[in-house]
Amino acid sequence: MSVRRDDFPSSFTWGTATAAYQIEGAVAEGGRGPSIWDAFVRRPGAITDGTTGDVADDHVHRVGEDVALMAGLGVDAYRFSISWPRIQPEGTGPALRDGIGFYRALAERLLAVGVTPWATLYHWDLPQALEERGGWLERDTAHRFAEYAGLVVEELADVVPNWITLNEPWCSAFLGYASGVHAPGRREGSRAARAAHHLLLGHGLAVPVVREAAPEAVVGITLNLYSVRPASDAAADVDAARRIDGLGNRLFLDPVLTGSYPEDVLDDLGEAPWFAENALADLPTIAAPIDFLGVNYYSRHTTRAGEPDGRPSANPGSESVEFVETGAPVTQMGWEIHPDGLLDVLEQAAAAAPGLPLVVTENGSAYEDHVGDDGSVDDPERLAYLRQHVEACAEAVRRGLPLTGYFAWTLMDNFEWAWGHSRRFGLVHVDYETQARTPKSSGLWFRRFLRSELD
Ligand code: FCB
């Protein structure tokens, strides 16, 4: 018998997630300024298929239709992100009325159809003006972020009850400032750890600001966690797994949840220049109490000791670690499908902060989709991925892990960062020529699951 909604407590939150730059379009409307992604997508070769988020899903102009889609799916909640440069075009100064008005109208529409808003304050779209002042390598950016958070939450506290400070600071720091495959596309080696620290500091500074502006609000952060295991028992392979778990998981979990940096990871990073500014003194700020931890889970890593391949690495200090293809099935991204890994990362988070509510804020898969002659989109692989991970959530609840919600990535196909429009993760298909939205069979499965209509 397949998993059912009533395997979960009735208070469990079911939702879908998106991010501003991936869906909104309207990049030059309402006074919005450019973000680092607007600049990055214009670099030749940065985006696999040469597309941009200029139009994306044209969500700004189709918000009514998109809220109706969610109501149709029957979700309880919607996680979206707020575009910082739509609020502060240059990352400083007063909030733009058009920007605030857009998100207020979105939240009000959601509430009107019984969908609870969950807003992420930063899903990777730093105002370009701040990048030109050094971006996340500069401490001041953390203070600018906290100021922006205050402006937004003061305006929207009455319509948005749930706030997420940052989405996946590992990606912002190490894909943005080490491997350079994401905006702002810099290759700074272990200096990228400075960006990680300033992102975490921004989070820690923002939490009390959010609480002051919205005393009733629920506040958390979203980390991307991987299940990591060594390819063999050989000491070097075990060490490779320790390094990747360290840089990817513990470098973020430990400061946020326990107010410490993992010593072994600091050693791996070597003479990390971020220490010069006495990063350790910021740890109590970074460890500001939160109400939940958001976990984004997609895949498992199997690692072994190898040789650096000479390309700028997203794992500075651990360039020699190799990621092994195990032969297990993968999605179109090449990411191994391993639902049990979700349990591994939830166990790891729960061990670091016993009792803290955990929410899966993203989980999903990319596959090539085809619209059938009858207009339907049949995506059995995505449906299976979704079902298997919902089953893993049911197992987490059975084990007594404090898991309180699940958000599928993503509501609808959208601009998949460096992959542009060449990767589709949506439960709803988007035709980029016509902007027509068509629920895929995975979306229809989710709807039946949510309505308790599965056999
Ligand atoms: C996550 C991002 C999200 C989306 C998925 C596939 O890392 O947070 O925006 O791109 O991956």
Side-chain angles (χ1 to χ4, degrees):
M1 198 174 73
S2 73
V3 65
R4 305 170 70 98
R5 185 173 185 159
D6 59 16
D7 295 333
F8 293 81
S10 58
S11 58
F12 198 90
T13 297
W14 294 100
T16 56
T18 62
Y21 187 70
Q22 296 183 273
I23 64 166
E24 285 183 356
V27 290
E29 290 178 30
R32 180 189 180 281
S35 78
I36 53 175
W37 276 93
D38 295 284
F40 186 68
V41 298
R42 290 188 159 70
R43 278 199 200 175
I47 309 300
T48 322
D49 64 356
T51 56
T52 74
D54 286 2
V55 177
D57 291 339
D58 197 29
H59 169 71
V60 164
H61 301 126
R62 292 167 196 265
V63 62
E65 182 184 352
D66 292 339
V67 170
L69 264 180
M70 284 181 259
L73 287 177
V75 292
D76 310 318
Y78 174 47
R79 173 179 177 235
F80 58 95
S81 84
I82 293 178
S83 160
W84 185 348
R86 209 178 275 294
I87 305 297
Q88 290 180 304
E90 306 219 332
T92 56
L96 286 181
R97 301 321 306 164
D98 278 7
I100 293 291
F102 170 71
Y103 295 108
R104 167 167 289 280
L106 167 63
E108 286 174 351
R109 280 178 192 268
L110 291 166
L111 292 169
V113 295
V115 175
T116 304
W118 289 57
T120 305
L121 286 160
Y122 186 71
H123 200 127
W124 304 354
D125 44 1
L126 186 72
Q128 175 64 13
L130 293 185
E131 177 56 30
E132 280 158 22
R133 285 157 52 178
W136 287 109
L137 295 178
E138 287 303 315
R139 189 179 179 87
D140 185 56
T141 302
H143 290 280
R144 298 284 66 76
F145 174 69
E147 181 187 84
Y148 148 74
L151 291 178
V152 171
V153 181
E154 268 164 32
E155 295 278 357
L156 300 179
D158 58 324
V159 286
V160 178
N162 305 283
W163 293 93
I164 294 169
T165 54
L166 304 179
N167 179 70
E168 302 189 351
W170 180 88
C171 293
S172 298
F174 294 109
L175 301 181
Y177 291 86
S179 67
V181 301
H182 278 188
R186 294 176 64 174
R187 295 170 172 180
E188 302 278 343
S190 64
R191 253 168 68 82
R194 256 174 95 88
H197 180 70
H198 293 144
L199 282 149
L200 289 166
L201 178 61
H203 156 76
L205 292 169
V207 168
V209 170
V210 174
R211 292 205 191 285
E212 192 175 330
E216 308 290 312
V218 169
V219 192
I221 183 174
T222 281
L223 304 179
N224 53 313
L225 302 180
Y226 286 90
S227 172
V228 187
R229 60 159 194 170
S232 81
D233 293 342
D237 291 350
V238 171
D239 191 60
R242 177 197 61 73
R243 284 169 174 272
I244 297 307
D245 171 55
L247 199 59
N249 298 331
R250 290 182 289 113
L251 185 64
F252 297 89
L253 284 170
D254 289 10
V256 167
L257 300 178
T258 70
S260 63
Y261 271 126
E263 296 278 343
D264 60 315
V265 181
L266 301 186
D267 287 349
D268 295 342
L269 283 163
E271 291 289 307
W274 51 315
F275 256 89
E277 288 168 27
N278 201 9
L280 298 185
D282 294 326
L283 283 167
T285 305
I286 294 172
I290 50 176
D291 302 313
F292 70 95
L293 178 74
V295 174
N296 290 356
Y297 175 77
Y298 288 90
S299 188
R300 167 172 77 169
H301 289 321
T302 302
T303 58
R304 73 168 165 235
E307 295 297 328
D309 64 8
R311 283 182 297 181
S313 169
N315 299 300
S318 295
E319 290 85 354
S320 60
V321 173
E322 283 179 11
F323 294 84
V324 178
E325 284 177 27
T326 62
V330 297
T331 67
Q332 194 193 1
M333 301 297 283
W335 299 348
E336 183 183 299
I337 303 166
H338 190 66
D340 282 355
L342 176 55
L343 293 160
D344 298 341
V345 300
L346 294 174
E347 299 269 13
Q348 184 173 5
L356 181 69
L358 305 173
V359 178
V360 175
T361 41
E362 284 180 29
N363 170 248
S365 57
Y367 289 102
E368 226 176 290
D369 294 311
H370 301 283
V371 183
D373 292 340
D374 61 355
S376 67
V377 183
D378 194 21
D379 60 339
E381 294 157 307
R382 188 178 293 100
L383 190 160
Y385 181 102
L386 173 63
R387 196 189 58 235
Q388 288 163 12
H389 287 80
V390 170
E391 280 165 3
C393 290
E395 173 60 18
V397 169
R398 270 194 293 279
R399 288 188 190 177
L401 287 162
L403 180 66
T404 61
Y406 174 92
F407 289 78
W409 183 269
T410 173
L411 171 64
M412 54 191 168
D413 296 335
N414 56 45
F415 180 79
E416 178 47 36
W417 309 114
W419 293 94
H421 284 161
S422 72
R423 292 291 181 276
R424 295 175 177 272
F425 278 85
L427 299 184
V428 173
H429 181 271
V430 175
D431 178 331
Y432 295 113
E433 301 276 306
T434 63
Q435 292 292 345
R437 276 86 160 126
T438 308
K440 304 178 190 175
S441 21
S442 56
L444 299 175
W445 179 87
F446 201 38
R447 180 166 78 176
R448 290 203 306 283
F449 169 81
L450 295 172
R451 291 183 177 175
S452 298
E453 288 174 2
L454 293 177
D455 309 324

